Amino acid sequence: MARPRRALALALTLAAALSALWLPVEAQAQGLRSLHVDALSMRADRTRVPVGETFHLAIHARVRERVAALDELVVPDVGSMHLLGDERHVSAGPGGTDIVETLTLEPTTPGPFTFPAAYFDAIDANTKKPSRFAANPVRVVVTAQAVYYASTRTVLFPLVARVLVMAVALFAVLALVVLVVALRGRKRIPVVPAAAPPAPVPAAPPRTPRDEVADAFRAYRSAPADGALRRLRAALFAAAGVPPGATLRDALANTGDAALRPVLSAAEHAAFGPARARDDASRELSDATEAWLR
Amino acid sequence: MSRPSDVLDALHATIVGQDEVVEALVLGLIAGGHILLEGTPGVAKTLACRALAASVGGVFRRVQFTPDLLPSDVVGTRIFDQKTGEFATVFGPLFANVVLADEINRAPAKVQSALLEGMQERRATIGLQTHDLPAPFVVLATMNPYDTDGTYPLPLAQLDRFLAKVIVRYPTRDEEQAIVDRFSGDEPALRAGVATLADVQRWQREAHGVFVDAKVRDYAIDIVRASRSAELVAHGASPRAALALVALARARAYLEGRSFAAPDDVRDLAAAVLRHRISYDDRIAIEDGHPEDVVREIVGSVRAP
């Protein structure tokens, strides 16, 4: 009998707690606004803040309706931190209203601190029910420089010194082992006449941008299609020392080769000029490229 | 027959430096679009507009926008003529070839809307009658970015009607020395009549025929589309921005005597087309961002063809 009675008592307690949570929202429902809430978030611009320095905690709400203010917004308790500023911006646009409240805070005591979620009560326009909309909690770590330096001196320095001593000892042992093995090995290894070095192979000269242009030009002259023109233009731009995605002005500004300039301009004309003038542009590009390659 | 480069030279003969502003005014004239100039007082915004109007021999009107301005002060009104016993139409300053709307954000929305309707439709209604505005018709509007108390910010939909927005920057030291030397005495005469209104209309027709390759068109579209998904941007630019960017690229090619628009034209003019058509997220204030950096990042994020 004892077990069902305990279960009943637990259920009653839970129900009472839940109704206590629900009641304030229900009781205020008459005074609540009906809103489509698209977003409610909270974030800090720094997650680690030394004591005495300031940081900002921004709460951003977005509702689909045009509202002048969101006075229902309850900002989180900031504990022992000094509240230096509280600024609220409301901007309404055709898609709704953005409300941004920015708190400027200065922590006074070190340690981790979690801001409870900012929230507001409204009638959820989607469900037509009174609801509490809450943002995410935000955690910041407040550091104290004095404590940090003290711990560096008393904890970190001895630790580093110990690790260094151990590393030096290990290195000395390893060096000794390598020396012993090398001395023994020298007696056993038979002397083998050294093989004749391979005949030197002449290395191919590195390809230059001019070679790339020459290849692309050959391909363009045999079939002056769009793809070949793109390749030739890219090779010319590379010869001017600019990366892909650069424009003619970049290429002209970058190259010191005066002879390359008319070739670059001709490539631009051929690539983007009107179809009716394409033959002339293509001929102009071919002549200019040929002259430059010579 | 004059060329648009003659107007450019005439403006440079009056204005010291401000190459971007001078070029934007001539491009606006060629593309038949309106230009918004933003800059502090005293950086030659008004002088540049006057010089432009003088160079093409058109009718120039200036309207100083103030909080008590009425739509009829801009568009015009009908008054009763006691001699004839009939109502007569008095045309407002909007009926000109070059209209300078000085400090456009100082007038209330009703006046801004009357002006912007004329800009869009190229017609204005006075009383019951609708009148065509003269051709060519270009509005050059100025705004001061700092002294914003008592101003009425233009909504995005109205800003979208400006082809480009140009930032008029402070001159360099050398330029400032030249300004002091040139303007210390009597103000130098503007170079008037280097082109005619008929020339301007011809330029507009011919610029329309400048070739835009599909790759260049797609580059412009990609930049505009990139503005819609960029970081810190709440609302990106509309398709009208892509139209404006292509129109300006055509105008630039025509000004430089080319028969085709190049990727450089699109890249150079993209910021002027985008900067007034984007609304920014509130995070831009929190993260200490700058709208010009956002625009630069958008343009830089798209690879040129």
Side-chain angles (χ1 to χ4, degrees):
Chain A
M1 276 308 277
R3 188 180 286 256
R5 204 176 289 161
R6 263 208 306 274
L8 183 66
L10 188 66
L12 283 172
T13 312
L14 199 61
L18 280 173
S19 63
L21 272 176
W22 180 253
L23 266 174
V25 174
E26 193 66 34
Q28 292 164 11
Q30 295 298 322
L32 297 181
R33 279 197 281 183
S34 175
L35 294 169
H36 287 90
V37 181
D38 283 343
L40 178 59
S41 62
M42 192 163 83
R43 67 191 184 120
D45 61 354
R46 298 170 73 178
T47 50
R48 294 183 70 84
V49 195
V51 168
E53 290 192 15
T54 57
F55 71 103
H56 299 100
L57 182 71
I59 304 151
H60 173 223
R62 180 168 178 80
V63 296
R64 243 174 275 167
E65 290 74 13
R66 286 176 76 93
V67 297
L70 191 64
D71 295 330
E72 304 92 321
L73 182 65
V74 178
V75 298
D77 178 24
V78 298
S80 64
M81 293 190 189
H82 289 150
L83 180 63
L84 303 179
D86 182 358
E87 206 175 327
R88 191 175 281 191
H89 284 286
V90 179
S91 65
T97 310
D98 284 291
I99 302 101
V100 179
E101 179 144 4
T102 309
L103 307 180
T104 306
L105 299 164
E106 182 193 315
T108 53
T109 49
F113 183 82
T114 301
F115 293 98
Y119 67 91
F120 65 90
D121 295 333
I123 293 173
D124 186 344
N126 294 317
T127 60
K128 313 285 183 220
K129 287 183 180 164
S131 307
R132 172 159 291 179
F133 296 94
N136 50 300
V138 168
R139 184 173 183 271
V140 294
V141 177
V142 180
T143 59
Q145 287 189 337
V147 172
Y148 173 72
Y149 287 129
S151 67
T152 303
R153 217 173 292 128
T154 56
V155 179
L156 203 60
F157 287 178
L159 192 69
V160 170
R162 217 170 295 160
V163 169
L164 276 174
V165 168
M166 283 172 71
V168 168
L170 194 66
F171 180 76
V173 170
L174 278 174
L176 197 66
V177 168
V178 168
L179 191 68
V180 168
V181 168
L183 286 174
R184 281 187 181 179
R186 189 184 277 179
K187 291 169 189 168
R188 287 178 196 164
I189 295 170
V191 179
V192 178
V201 178
R207 283 181 68 76
T208 62
R210 194 176 277 266
D211 297 333
E212 297 292 339
V213 172
D215 286 354
F217 179 54
R218 266 192 296 279
Y220 176 68
R221 208 153 53 169
S222 62
D226 266 3
L229 174 58
R230 265 202 301 276
R231 185 183 158 197
L232 176 57
R233 183 169 172 267
L236 287 166
F237 274 45
V242 290
T247 63
L248 175 64
R249 183 166 307 134
D250 301 331
L252 291 176
N254 199 57
T255 184
D257 183 352
L260 184 60
R261 289 163 186 270
V263 194
L264 292 167
S265 300
E268 190 84 341
H269 193 181
F272 302 111
R276 62 176 185 277
R278 206 147 278 178
D279 285 348
D280 289 344
S282 177
R283 207 171 306 118
E284 184 193 349
L285 174 61
S286 293
D287 293 348
T289 311
E290 211 163 14
W292 183 71
L293 285 171
R294 271 203 301 272
Chain B
M1 287 216 290
S2 301
R3 297 281 313 155
S5 51
D6 299 333
V7 175
L8 199 69
D9 294 342
L11 294 189
H12 278 308
T14 307
I15 310 294
V16 179
Q18 303 291 7
D19 294 352
E20 196 189 347
V21 177
V22 168
E23 189 194 36
L25 292 179
V26 179
L27 293 181
L29 197 66
I30 298 170
H34 312 293
I35 305 290
L36 184 60
L37 304 172
E38 187 181 273
T40 49
V43 285
K45 298 190 292 285
T46 309
L47 181 65
C49 298
R50 275 178 46 218
L52 180 74
S55 67
V56 296
V59 179
F60 172 72
R61 294 276 184 274
R62 174 186 172 171
V63 190
Q64 182 65 48
F65 277 47
T66 52
D68 57 350
L69 199 72
L70 296 172
S72 58
D73 296 333
V74 175
V75 177
T77 187
R78 285 176 65 76
I79 55 164
F80 185 70
D81 188 336
Q82 287 188 334
K83 281 185 187 164
T84 59
E86 287 179 351
F87 277 94
T89 303
V90 176
F91 294 109
L94 193 60
F95 288 82
N97 298 110
V98 179
V99 178
L100 171 60
D102 230 347
E103 300 203 76
I104 190 170
N105 54 337
R106 296 221 171 266
K110 219 170 180 177
V111 183
Q112 290 174 359
S113 137
L115 171 76
L116 294 162
E117 188 187 344
M119 287 164 58
Q120 181 71 17
E121 308 289 332
R122 292 174 192 270
R123 284 188 302 191
T125 304
I126 304 171
L128 295 174
Q129 279 191 315
T130 301
H131 304 270
D132 286 337
L133 295 173
F137 171 68
V138 179
V139 173
L140 309 170
T142 69
M143 284 199 319
N144 173 2
Y146 301 116
D147 202 7
T148 52
D149 285 350
T151 58
Y152 301 84
L154 273 74
L156 266 189
Q158 296 192 344
L159 286 169
D160 203 19
R161 292 176 195 183
F162 285 98
L163 192 65
K165 177 179 171 184
V166 186
I167 308 293
V168 189
R169 301 179 201 286
Y170 284 118
T172 62
R173 187 179 177 81
D174 289 346
E175 288 169 352
E176 208 148 356
Q177 283 170 347
I179 289 167
V180 171
D181 291 344
R182 191 181 293 182
F183 292 89
S184 285
D186 294 338
E187 193 171 288
L190 303 176
R191 279 175 60 178
V194 296
T196 62
L197 294 178
D199 285 330
V200 175
Q201 285 175 303
R202 179 173 53 81
W203 299 341
Q204 290 179 348
R205 279 196 306 276
E206 288 177 355
H208 206 69
V210 166
F211 178 74
V212 180
D213 188 82
K215 294 185 286 292
V216 176
R217 177 204 61 198
D218 290 347
Y219 179 42
I221 291 171
D222 288 346
I223 289 176
V224 171
R225 292 184 70 81
S227 76
R228 295 174 201 153
S229 53
E231 187 73 8
L232 303 178
V233 169
H235 302 287
S238 71
R240 200 181 271 161
L243 287 169
L245 189 46
V246 171
L248 278 173
R250 276 197 168 106
R252 158 74 90 76
Y254 184 74
L255 175 65
E256 293 185 354
R258 270 182 283 121
S259 60
F260 63 95
D264 268 319
D265 301 323
V266 171
R267 193 182 64 177
D268 292 351
L269 297 162
V273 168
L274 291 182
R275 61 168 65 99
H276 59 297
R277 290 182 160 98
I278 291 175
S279 67
Y280 297 94
D281 204 306
D282 284 325
R283 284 177 301 151
I284 199 163
I286 297 171
E287 294 177 9
D288 209 16
H290 195 280
E292 281 298 297
D293 294 336
V294 176
V295 171
R296 207 173 298 123
E297 269 176 35
I298 291 169
V299 178
S301 70
V302 182
R303 193 169 144 167

mmCIF file of all heavy atoms in Angstrom, chain B residues 212-244:
data_model
loop_
_atom_site.group_PDB
_atom_site.id
_atom_site.type_symbol
_atom_site.label_atom_id
_atom_site.label_comp_id
_atom_site.label_asym_id
_atom_site.label_seq_id
_atom_site.Cartn_x
_atom_site.Cartn_y
_atom_site.Cartn_z
ATOM 1 N N VAL B 212 26.211 43.490 -74.197
ATOM 2 C CA VAL B 212 26.536 42.908 -72.887
ATOM 3 C C VAL B 212 26.533 41.399 -73.052
ATOM 4 O O VAL B 212 25.483 40.791 -73.286
ATOM 5 C CB VAL B 212 25.521 43.331 -71.801
ATOM 6 C CG1 VAL B 212 25.882 42.712 -70.457
ATOM 7 C CG2 VAL B 212 25.473 44.845 -71.677
ATOM 8 N N ASP B 213 27.701 40.819 -72.958
ATOM 9 C CA ASP B 213 27.845 39.372 -73.097
ATOM 10 C C ASP B 213 27.127 38.666 -71.946
ATOM 11 O O ASP B 213 27.004 39.215 -70.843
ATOM 12 C CB ASP B 213 29.344 39.029 -73.075
ATOM 13 C CG ASP B 213 29.598 37.571 -73.402
ATOM 14 O OD1 ASP B 213 29.608 37.245 -74.595
ATOM 15 O OD2 ASP B 213 29.751 36.774 -72.464
ATOM 16 N N ALA B 214 26.666 37.433 -72.202
ATOM 17 C CA ALA B 214 25.935 36.680 -71.166
ATOM 18 C C ALA B 214 26.790 36.498 -69.906
ATOM 19 O O ALA B 214 26.270 36.516 -68.783
ATOM 20 C CB ALA B 214 25.507 35.333 -71.718
ATOM 21 N N LYS B 215 28.103 36.358 -70.084
ATOM 22 C CA LYS B 215 28.969 36.146 -68.901
ATOM 23 C C LYS B 215 29.019 37.405 -68.043
ATOM 24 O O LYS B 215 29.035 37.323 -66.820
ATOM 25 C CB LYS B 215 30.393 35.772 -69.361
ATOM 26 C CG LYS B 215 30.482 34.428 -70.079
ATOM 27 C CD LYS B 215 31.907 34.035 -70.403
ATOM 28 C CE LYS B 215 32.525 34.806 -71.543
ATOM 29 N NZ LYS B 215 31.957 34.540 -72.873
ATOM 30 N N VAL B 216 29.028 38.558 -68.701
ATOM 31 C CA VAL B 216 29.065 39.835 -67.965
ATOM 32 C C VAL B 216 27.707 40.075 -67.288
ATOM 33 O O VAL B 216 27.638 40.486 -66.123
ATOM 34 C CB VAL B 216 29.419 40.998 -68.915
ATOM 35 C CG1 VAL B 216 29.374 42.328 -68.196
ATOM 36 C CG2 VAL B 216 30.793 40.771 -69.516
ATOM 37 N N ARG B 217 26.632 39.776 -68.017
ATOM 38 C CA ARG B 217 25.288 39.907 -67.436
ATOM 39 C C ARG B 217 25.161 39.010 -66.195
ATOM 40 O O ARG B 217 24.684 39.435 -65.142
ATOM 41 C CB ARG B 217 24.247 39.508 -68.495
ATOM 42 C CG ARG B 217 22.818 39.528 -67.985
ATOM 43 C CD ARG B 217 21.945 38.603 -68.825
ATOM 44 N NE ARG B 217 22.423 37.231 -68.744
ATOM 45 C CZ ARG B 217 22.097 36.266 -69.602
ATOM 46 N NH1 ARG B 217 21.323 36.533 -70.622
ATOM 47 N NH2 ARG B 217 22.559 35.042 -69.458
ATOM 48 N N ASP B 218 25.630 37.750 -66.326
ATOM 49 C CA ASP B 218 25.515 36.822 -65.202
ATOM 50 C C ASP B 218 26.375 37.268 -64.014
ATOM 51 O O ASP B 218 26.010 37.045 -62.859
ATOM 52 C CB ASP B 218 25.925 35.409 -65.639
ATOM 53 C CG ASP B 218 24.902 34.806 -66.593
ATOM 54 O OD1 ASP B 218 23.799 35.386 -66.702
ATOM 55 O OD2 ASP B 218 25.200 33.789 -67.231
ATOM 56 N N TYR B 219 27.494 37.874 -64.316
ATOM 57 C CA TYR B 219 28.359 38.404 -63.241
ATOM 58 C C TYR B 219 27.596 39.477 -62.439
ATOM 59 O O TYR B 219 27.601 39.470 -61.203
ATOM 60 C CB TYR B 219 29.628 38.977 -63.882
ATOM 61 C CG TYR B 219 30.632 39.580 -62.936
ATOM 62 C CD1 TYR B 219 30.960 38.994 -61.727
ATOM 63 C CD2 TYR B 219 31.304 40.767 -63.283
ATOM 64 C CE1 TYR B 219 31.906 39.562 -60.886
ATOM 65 C CE2 TYR B 219 32.249 41.330 -62.456
ATOM 66 C CZ TYR B 219 32.539 40.725 -61.255
ATOM 67 O OH TYR B 219 33.472 41.289 -60.412
ATOM 68 N N ALA B 220 26.893 40.359 -63.163
ATOM 69 C CA ALA B 220 26.112 41.408 -62.492
ATOM 70 C C ALA B 220 25.000 40.782 -61.649
ATOM 71 O O ALA B 220 24.775 41.174 -60.493
ATOM 72 C CB ALA B 220 25.523 42.356 -63.529
ATOM 73 N N ILE B 221 24.344 39.797 -62.214
ATOM 74 C CA ILE B 221 23.241 39.141 -61.484
ATOM 75 C C ILE B 221 23.780 38.426 -60.251
ATOM 76 O O ILE B 221 23.192 38.495 -59.168
ATOM 77 C CB ILE B 221 22.497 38.158 -62.425
ATOM 78 C CG1 ILE B 221 21.738 38.959 -63.487
ATOM 79 C CG2 ILE B 221 21.548 37.267 -61.654
ATOM 80 C CD1 ILE B 221 21.139 38.105 -64.586
ATOM 81 N N ASP B 222 24.912 37.756 -60.395
ATOM 82 C CA ASP B 222 25.489 37.023 -59.253
ATOM 83 C C ASP B 222 25.835 37.976 -58.108
ATOM 84 O O ASP B 222 25.663 37.639 -56.931
ATOM 85 C CB ASP B 222 26.746 36.256 -59.694
ATOM 86 C CG ASP B 222 26.403 35.049 -60.557
ATOM 87 O OD1 ASP B 222 25.217 34.667 -60.579
ATOM 88 O OD2 ASP B 222 27.317 34.512 -61.218
ATOM 89 N N ILE B 223 26.341 39.157 -58.444
ATOM 90 C CA ILE B 223 26.690 40.120 -57.393
ATOM 91 C C ILE B 223 25.412 40.575 -56.663
ATOM 92 O O ILE B 223 25.363 40.614 -55.428
ATOM 93 C CB ILE B 223 27.436 41.338 -57.990
ATOM 94 C CG1 ILE B 223 28.838 40.925 -58.427
ATOM 95 C CG2 ILE B 223 27.527 42.474 -56.975
ATOM 96 C CD1 ILE B 223 29.635 42.019 -59.112
ATOM 97 N N VAL B 224 24.376 40.867 -57.424
ATOM 98 C CA VAL B 224 23.119 41.315 -56.795
ATOM 99 C C VAL B 224 22.538 40.196 -55.935
ATOM 100 O O VAL B 224 22.090 40.425 -54.805
ATOM 101 C CB VAL B 224 22.118 41.775 -57.884
ATOM 102 C CG1 VAL B 224 20.752 42.024 -57.288
ATOM 103 C CG2 VAL B 224 22.637 43.025 -58.565
ATOM 104 N N ARG B 225 22.590 38.984 -56.442
ATOM 105 C CA ARG B 225 22.043 37.858 -55.664
ATOM 106 C C ARG B 225 22.878 37.598 -54.412
ATOM 107 O O ARG B 225 22.350 37.187 -53.381
ATOM 108 C CB ARG B 225 21.973 36.601 -56.531
ATOM 109 C CG ARG B 225 20.937 36.702 -57.649
ATOM 110 C CD ARG B 225 20.834 35.409 -58.420
ATOM 111 N NE ARG B 225 20.227 34.354 -57.648
ATOM 112 C CZ ARG B 225 18.928 34.188 -57.475
ATOM 113 N NH1 ARG B 225 18.092 34.994 -58.056
ATOM 114 N NH2 ARG B 225 18.460 33.208 -56.748
ATOM 115 N N ALA B 226 24.182 37.836 -54.509
ATOM 116 C CA ALA B 226 25.050 37.624 -53.336
ATOM 117 C C ALA B 226 24.675 38.577 -52.212
ATOM 118 O O ALA B 226 24.877 38.274 -51.032
ATOM 119 C CB ALA B 226 26.508 37.827 -53.728
ATOM 120 N N SER B 227 24.100 39.743 -52.570
ATOM 121 C CA SER B 227 23.724 40.706 -51.528
ATOM 122 C C SER B 227 22.586 40.179 -50.667
ATOM 123 O O SER B 227 22.381 40.630 -49.554
ATOM 124 C CB SER B 227 23.322 42.042 -52.161
ATOM 125 O OG SER B 227 22.042 41.950 -52.731
ATOM 126 N N ARG B 228 21.832 39.220 -51.196
ATOM 127 C CA ARG B 228 20.665 38.730 -50.443
ATOM 128 C C ARG B 228 21.031 37.702 -49.389
ATOM 129 O O ARG B 228 20.240 37.431 -48.491
ATOM 130 C CB ARG B 228 19.645 38.136 -51.420
ATOM 131 C CG ARG B 228 19.095 39.203 -52.336
ATOM 132 C CD ARG B 228 18.196 38.641 -53.397
ATOM 133 N NE ARG B 228 18.119 39.582 -54.504
ATOM 134 C CZ ARG B 228 17.866 39.262 -55.749
ATOM 135 N NH1 ARG B 228 17.635 38.014 -56.064
ATOM 136 N NH2 ARG B 228 17.815 40.188 -56.679
ATOM 137 N N SER B 229 22.196 37.084 -49.530
ATOM 138 C CA SER B 229 22.566 36.073 -48.532
ATOM 139 C C SER B 229 23.817 36.484 -47.766
ATOM 140 O O SER B 229 24.420 35.673 -47.085
ATOM 141 C CB SER B 229 22.803 34.732 -49.241
ATOM 142 O OG SER B 229 23.731 34.910 -50.281
ATOM 143 N N ALA B 230 24.187 37.765 -47.884
ATOM 144 C CA ALA B 230 25.435 38.200 -47.240
ATOM 145 C C ALA B 230 25.248 38.346 -45.736
ATOM 146 O O ALA B 230 24.134 38.602 -45.260
ATOM 147 C CB ALA B 230 25.885 39.530 -47.844
ATOM 148 N N GLU B 231 26.338 38.190 -45.040
ATOM 149 C CA GLU B 231 26.372 38.344 -43.588
ATOM 150 C C GLU B 231 26.023 39.798 -43.227
ATOM 151 O O GLU B 231 26.428 40.716 -43.942
ATOM 152 C CB GLU B 231 27.790 38.001 -43.115
ATOM 153 C CG GLU B 231 28.001 37.934 -41.636
ATOM 154 C CD GLU B 231 27.387 36.709 -40.988
ATOM 155 O OE1 GLU B 231 26.899 35.802 -41.688
ATOM 156 O OE2 GLU B 231 27.378 36.676 -39.764
ATOM 157 N N LEU B 232 25.257 39.990 -42.199
ATOM 158 C CA LEU B 232 24.862 41.304 -41.656
ATOM 159 C C LEU B 232 23.850 42.051 -42.535
ATOM 160 O O LEU B 232 23.554 43.208 -42.285
ATOM 161 C CB LEU B 232 26.068 42.218 -41.411
ATOM 162 C CG LEU B 232 27.148 41.681 -40.477
ATOM 163 C CD1 LEU B 232 28.309 42.671 -40.371
ATOM 164 C CD2 LEU B 232 26.581 41.404 -39.101
ATOM 165 N N VAL B 233 23.345 41.392 -43.581
ATOM 166 C CA VAL B 233 22.352 42.050 -44.443
ATOM 167 C C VAL B 233 20.964 41.507 -44.103
ATOM 168 O O VAL B 233 20.764 40.298 -44.047
ATOM 169 C CB VAL B 233 22.668 41.783 -45.935
ATOM 170 C CG1 VAL B 233 21.525 42.208 -46.820
ATOM 171 C CG2 VAL B 233 23.933 42.524 -46.318
ATOM 172 N N ALA B 234 20.017 42.430 -43.839
ATOM 173 C CA ALA B 234 18.649 41.997 -43.541
ATOM 174 C C ALA B 234 17.865 41.801 -44.841
ATOM 175 O O ALA B 234 17.165 40.815 -45.009
ATOM 176 C CB ALA B 234 17.965 43.028 -42.651
ATOM 177 N N HIS B 235 17.965 42.793 -45.740
ATOM 178 C CA HIS B 235 17.273 42.688 -47.034
ATOM 179 C C HIS B 235 18.261 43.046 -48.136
ATOM 180 O O HIS B 235 18.837 44.135 -48.116
ATOM 181 C CB HIS B 235 16.078 43.628 -47.084
ATOM 182 C CG HIS B 235 15.085 43.363 -45.992
ATOM 183 N ND1 HIS B 235 14.261 42.269 -45.998
ATOM 184 C CD2 HIS B 235 14.814 44.034 -44.862
ATOM 185 C CE1 HIS B 235 13.527 42.282 -44.904
ATOM 186 N NE2 HIS B 235 13.847 43.338 -44.194
ATOM 187 N N GLY B 236 18.424 42.158 -49.091
ATOM 188 C CA GLY B 236 19.366 42.397 -50.189
ATOM 189 C C GLY B 236 18.742 43.251 -51.276
ATOM 190 O O GLY B 236 17.606 43.723 -51.162
ATOM 191 N N ALA B 237 19.507 43.434 -52.341
ATOM 192 C CA ALA B 237 19.068 44.319 -53.425
ATOM 193 C C ALA B 237 18.028 43.617 -54.303
ATOM 194 O O ALA B 237 18.019 42.397 -54.430
ATOM 195 C CB ALA B 237 20.271 44.720 -54.264
ATOM 196 N N SER B 238 17.180 44.424 -54.924
ATOM 197 C CA SER B 238 16.087 43.900 -55.750
ATOM 198 C C SER B 238 16.585 43.646 -57.183
ATOM 199 O O SER B 238 17.680 44.071 -57.552
ATOM 200 C CB SER B 238 14.969 44.939 -55.797
ATOM 201 O OG SER B 238 15.404 46.038 -56.577
ATOM 202 N N PRO B 239 15.766 42.990 -58.009
ATOM 203 C CA PRO B 239 16.166 42.796 -59.416
ATOM 204 C C PRO B 239 16.410 44.127 -60.133
ATOM 205 O O PRO B 239 17.135 44.177 -61.117
ATOM 206 C CB PRO B 239 14.978 42.063 -60.029
ATOM 207 C CG PRO B 239 14.324 41.387 -58.883
ATOM 208 C CD PRO B 239 14.521 42.273 -57.700
ATOM 209 N N ARG B 240 15.793 45.210 -59.623
ATOM 210 C CA ARG B 240 16.046 46.517 -60.246
ATOM 211 C C ARG B 240 17.536 46.882 -60.139
ATOM 212 O O ARG B 240 18.075 47.609 -60.983
ATOM 213 C CB ARG B 240 15.201 47.577 -59.545
ATOM 214 C CG ARG B 240 15.020 48.825 -60.370
ATOM 215 C CD ARG B 240 14.214 49.853 -59.636
ATOM 216 N NE ARG B 240 12.795 49.704 -59.863
ATOM 217 C CZ ARG B 240 11.860 50.223 -59.072
ATOM 218 N NH1 ARG B 240 12.203 50.891 -58.013
ATOM 219 N NH2 ARG B 240 10.589 50.069 -59.348
ATOM 220 N N ALA B 241 18.201 46.346 -59.116
ATOM 221 C CA ALA B 241 19.642 46.599 -58.962
ATOM 222 C C ALA B 241 20.419 45.956 -60.107
ATOM 223 O O ALA B 241 21.378 46.537 -60.625
ATOM 224 C CB ALA B 241 20.127 46.062 -57.629
ATOM 225 N N ALA B 242 20.008 44.742 -60.499
ATOM 226 C CA ALA B 242 20.702 44.069 -61.616
ATOM 227 C C ALA B 242 20.495 44.865 -62.905
ATOM 228 O O ALA B 242 21.437 45.035 -63.698
ATOM 229 C CB ALA B 242 20.184 42.646 -61.770
ATOM 230 N N LEU B 243 19.272 45.380 -63.091
ATOM 231 C CA LEU B 243 18.998 46.199 -64.275
ATOM 232 C C LEU B 243 19.870 47.459 -64.261
ATOM 233 O O LEU B 243 20.450 47.844 -65.279
ATOM 234 C CB LEU B 243 17.524 46.624 -64.298
ATOM 235 C CG LEU B 243 16.519 45.521 -64.635
ATOM 236 C CD1 LEU B 243 15.100 45.995 -64.370
ATOM 237 C CD2 LEU B 243 16.671 45.138 -66.099
ATOM 238 N N ALA B 244 19.946 48.079 -63.072
ATOM 239 C CA ALA B 244 20.721 49.314 -62.949
ATOM 240 C C ALA B 244 22.205 49.047 -63.210
ATOM 241 O O ALA B 244 22.880 49.838 -63.879
ATOM 242 C CB ALA B 244 20.530 49.899 -61.552
#
